Amino acid sequence: MHRETILFLLVVIIMGNSLMTAALDPKPTEQANLPQRPVLQPKETVPVTGNYVLKDPTGTSCIKLSMGVEYVVIEKKKPSYFNLDPTTTKTTGRCADKESVLSLAFLGKGGDLNLTFEKEGNLTYVSKITGHLAPGKGMKNYSGVIEHEKLFPTAAGRSLKCYSQTEFHLSENLRVKIVSLQFQAFKLTNGNFGEEVECRADFIQKIIPIIFGATVVGLLLIAVLSFLIIRDHHRQAGYDRI
Ligand SMILES: *[C@@H]1O[C@H](CO)[C@@H](O)[C@H](O)[C@H]1NC(C)=O
Ligand SMILES: *[C@@H]1O[C@H](CO)[C@@H](O)[C@H](O)[C@H]1NC(C)=O
Ligand SMILES: *[C@@H]1O[C@H](CO)[C@@H](O)[C@H](O)[C@H]1NC(C)=O
């Protein structure tokens, strides 16, 4: 046989072989089935706002909520970040008259964020936040809780709106930041948000420039008045001294 023919046959055999192994190789499908895990990022980015609705067994909404969520993991004083992706987040929970729990589970077993809403008379608020983050790949899990709180108090039938970022220290190593929040719990009319109530942080953010402006104007007035008074005083006293 010619050298070329042998070479050609070799190439054909090798190619055929690798095609066969590629087709039979179970690895790619196995990888696709691997549960995804949260990947911590060294840099902070603004989380995407997700819309979540929890319904009772009759199909009536008991919690409607939109927000962006960022987890902050602190390890050896160095923070890293994970933003919750609404497209891979599953909403579950339970609705009751006085206490409802919204559970957001992400990336299979990658972690969750549970919010407990309570109703006291006409007041609704968030009483408890639990967070869990399982980055996998030999990394340790992070979890934490804050409870017995009265966060985001709102009158029943109204929705609370909070553009400002709120940060919660769930444990020494785990924090969660919530941005662009709007929610309503227990009483929703046709599953829609009711009249909006502004959170305190937003109110303060809005009022700070006004206070600052007023302060600057006030200080300027004082400065001008002092200058005029001192000038007048000097004018009267000045000649006496000479
Ligand atoms: C959050 O709620 C889900 C569903 O009720 C539960 O399986 C999970 O353990 C809860 N997570 C935490 C950290 O409590
Ligand atoms: C709740 O609000 C309704 C009307 O807004 C009022 O009639 C009722 O007395 C309130 N109940 C409580 C417990 O404050
Ligand atoms: C972290 O949590 C996952 C489930 O969310 C579990 O499968 C895994 O064993 C945990 N890892 C450690 C180190 O505790």
Side-chain angles (χ1 to χ4, degrees):
M1 262 197 277
H2 275 295
R3 267 223 336 250
E4 280 85 350
T5 322
I6 293 170
L7 217 68
F8 176 71
L9 277 176
L10 260 174
V11 166
V12 165
I13 287 164
I14 289 166
M15 273 180 66
N17 236 336
S18 49
L19 275 178
M20 283 258 289
T21 37
L24 293 175
D25 200 350
K27 258 183 201 150
T29 44
E30 218 172 61
Q31 260 163 7
N33 286 337
L34 271 179
Q36 281 177 282
R37 293 292 188 171
V39 178
L40 292 168
Q41 305 291 342
K43 285 240 162 62
E44 199 168 11
T45 51
V46 178
V48 175
T49 302
N51 298 301
Y52 310 99
V53 176
L54 181 65
K55 292 184 175 174
D56 69 10
T58 69
T60 310
S61 306
C62 81
I63 296 172
K64 184 178 165 78
L65 176 147
S66 58
M67 65 177 171
V69 178
E70 178 188 310
Y71 278 81
V72 185
V73 164
I74 314 233
E75 203 56 81
K76 296 188 185 105
K77 292 191 176 156
K78 249 185 76 181
S80 48
Y81 308 92
F82 170 72
N83 285 352
L84 204 142
D85 176 2
T87 61
T88 54
T89 299
K90 234 180 78 186
T91 309
T92 55
R94 56 187 160 80
C95 302
D97 284 344
K98 292 208 178 310
E99 190 185 281
S100 296
V101 181
L102 176 75
S103 175
L104 304 175
F106 43 88
L107 294 170
K109 286 180 176 165
D112 52 50
L113 181 72
N114 293 354
L115 303 175
T116 304
F117 297 85
E118 279 191 50
K119 190 166 150 225
E120 220 180 84
N122 277 350
L123 191 72
T124 69
Y125 53 85
V126 175
S127 62
K128 183 174 167 182
I129 300 177
T130 66
H132 179 65
L133 192 69
K137 277 191 291 183
M139 289 181 71
K140 71 180 191 192
N141 290 344
Y142 299 91
S143 51
V145 59
I146 53 164
E147 49 193 338
H148 314 300
E149 301 280 342
K150 285 192 178 174
L151 309 165
F152 308 115
T154 317
R158 298 201 173 163
S159 70
L160 185 108
K161 203 161 190 178
C162 206
Y163 282 114
S164 306
Q165 167 187 296
T166 318
E167 183 173 339
F168 300 104
H169 290 212
L170 301 185
S171 68
E172 211 184 314
N173 295 320
L174 184 67
R175 293 172 191 180
V176 64
K177 289 185 186 178
I178 292 175
V179 295
S180 303
L181 174 72
Q182 186 171 12
F183 78 84
Q184 186 162 338
F186 301 104
K187 216 173 105 187
L188 281 128
T189 313
N190 302 322
N192 295 321
F193 281 135
E195 194 187 322
E196 289 168 10
V197 181
E198 190 177 46
C199 71
R200 238 178 60 191
D202 282 1
F203 175 73
I204 290 168
Q205 282 238 318
K206 217 169 61 182
I207 208 87
I208 280 174
I210 298 172
I211 293 173
F212 182 75
T215 310
V216 168
V217 169
L219 285 175
L220 274 175
L221 266 174
I222 291 170
V224 168
L225 282 175
S226 312
F227 171 74
L228 290 177
I229 290 167
I230 289 167
R231 199 185 57 178
D232 264 17
H233 190 73
H234 269 230
R235 232 184 234 159
Q236 283 168 11
Y239 299 108
D240 295 345
R241 244 190 257 135
I242 292 169

